[in-house]
Amino acid sequence: MDITYLLEKSMQDHDHLCPRQILGVRIGLAGMKALGFCEPPVKKELLVIAETDGCFVDGVTAATGCTVGHRTLRVEDYGKVAATIVATKTGRAVRVVPRLDVRERACRFIPEESRHYFAQMQAYQVMPDEELLSIQEVILNTRVEKIISRAGIRVNCDACGEEIMNEREIISDGSTLCHACAGDGYYQSALKYDLNLSLLAL
């Protein structure tokens, strides 16, 4: 299996190639293969949920064609080099991760290379899937239809007035709220934060 073209593609936004990019390519290819895809489908038939960001995702994107811009790639940042690949028409999903001892396996696979990093670089490109990866069929906690949602669906938050797309609103006590106003946001108003600090100082 020659993945040189995909590795070059994954390097387009980088000035180097690293083991995580290679794992991203291999994980993307293995996930597609497990779902019966020989190559990335033309239409939005695949969804990838990556469990970390960075170079790894560039490798997955190169292999699968899934991107944030096309709404076929999501990042749930668990800090893990892992991805779940979903066939959107059937909902079937497989989670692909490197084997727990993959670094040691790589060193054994390329014994002539004493430098671990470079052994990984070489081995990850050529190791058989069964030596490199663990593939498990999984069931999503949220239906794939809900994750993907429908285009053109928009509502306004009853609290802040901002527009919410893709059915991401939260209904609470009869009110339509965005995640931030429902208390589930990743940020808070600096004004509110300053006020809280002032109250604590009293």
Side-chain angles (χ1 to χ4, degrees):
M1 170 178 48
D2 186 1
I3 60 172
T4 304
Y5 164 72
L6 295 175
L7 295 178
E8 290 173 354
K9 191 175 175 183
S10 77
M11 288 171 57
Q12 287 176 355
D13 295 326
H14 300 271
D15 58 0
H16 69 287
L17 181 66
C18 72
R20 286 182 185 169
Q21 284 170 275
I22 302 168
L23 284 173
V25 168
R26 294 294 305 273
I27 282 173
L29 290 173
M32 286 195 304
K33 181 180 176 184
L35 295 173
F37 294 95
C38 299
E39 58 186 28
V42 177
K43 295 186 178 179
K44 297 181 179 181
E45 295 180 26
L46 279 183
L47 170 71
V48 171
I49 303 170
E51 295 185 22
T52 190
D53 53 16
C55 300
F56 167 69
V57 177
D58 292 330
V60 174
T61 293
T64 64
C66 294
T67 66
V68 172
H70 287 106
R71 301 192 68 244
T72 52
L73 171 67
R74 296 175 63 84
V75 177
E76 296 285 343
D77 194 357
Y78 294 174
K80 293 185 177 184
V81 174
T84 294
I85 293 88
V86 187
T88 58
K89 287 189 173 180
T90 64
R92 188 169 167 235
V94 292
R95 184 173 181 268
V96 189
V97 299
R99 289 195 171 273
L100 296 179
D101 59 346
V102 69
R103 291 185 180 91
E104 292 79 8
R105 286 173 182 254
C107 291
R108 290 197 298 269
F109 204 83
I110 311 288
E112 64 275 15
E113 177 55 77
S114 60
R115 297 166 298 176
H116 292 180
Y117 181 89
F118 293 100
Q120 292 164 31
M121 289 281 290
Q122 294 175 51
Y124 291 172
Q125 296 183 50
V126 294
M127 288 171 69
D129 283 350
E130 58 272 18
E131 282 284 312
L132 182 69
L133 305 170
S134 175
I135 304 173
Q136 177 188 20
E137 192 140 357
V138 296
I139 298 171
L140 300 178
N141 287 332
T142 302
R143 290 184 303 109
V144 67
E145 295 85 3
K146 186 168 177 59
I147 294 173
I148 295 172
S149 183
R150 296 171 291 157
I153 306 296
R154 298 180 180 88
V155 296
N156 291 91
C157 176
D158 289 336
C160 69
E162 292 179 1
E163 184 177 84
I164 309 164
M165 302 181 296
N166 305 321
E167 300 179 299
R168 299 304 188 237
E169 67 272 13
I170 294 173
I171 306 300
S172 177
D173 295 328
S175 295
T176 299
L177 301 174
C178 67
H179 278 260
C181 290
D184 188 34
Y186 69 91
Y187 67 91
Q188 60 179 309
S189 166
L191 181 62
K192 185 186 293 185
Y193 182 70
D194 290 342
L195 179 61
N196 288 340
L197 287 179
S198 298
L199 290 172
L200 286 172
L202 294 177

